[in-house]
Amino acid sequence: MNFDTWFHKQNKILQIVLLILPLVGWIMDLLVRWSAFIKKNTAVNLVMALVITLFGEFWILTILDAVWIALNNKLFLED
């Protein structure tokens, strides 16, 4: 599953828009997080994938990810 590499190859503005859109942002976050976990198998990726899966519908985490992408060019706590 290479969804995380596809996402990171996109333009920064497109990444932010995909994360800010309701429901689309949560789905994008899920796909990117689980793809990163499958690829790298680190504890940080697993914990963040589970947090997004369980609490991602509250939309605060996806906004945090969008801001983090704008500042650091990667998702919050993505290894």
Side-chain angles (χ1 to χ4, degrees):
M1 194 168 171
N2 292 325
F3 197 77
D4 59 331
T5 56
W6 174 84
F7 181 76
H8 289 301
K9 286 181 183 177
Q10 302 305 314
N11 187 345
K12 187 185 286 192
I13 294 174
L14 179 62
Q15 290 176 352
I16 293 170
V17 168
L18 286 173
L19 286 173
I20 289 177
L21 292 172
L23 189 63
V24 174
W26 183 54
I27 293 169
M28 292 298 293
D29 218 356
L30 281 173
L31 291 173
V32 171
R33 297 283 184 178
W34 283 108
S35 176
F37 170 69
I38 289 170
K39 204 185 272 186
K40 296 179 185 170
N41 288 332
T42 63
V44 173
N45 286 341
L46 175 62
V47 168
M48 286 308 295
L50 289 172
V51 167
I52 292 296
T53 301
L54 298 174
F55 304 111
E57 68 272 0
F58 294 120
W59 210 54
I60 293 170
L61 298 170
T62 55
I63 294 299
L64 178 66
D65 280 337
V67 170
W68 207 262
I69 286 257
L71 296 175
N72 298 324
N73 229 7
K74 66 177 193 169
L75 293 175
F76 180 68
L77 291 179
E78 182 185 31
D79 195 19

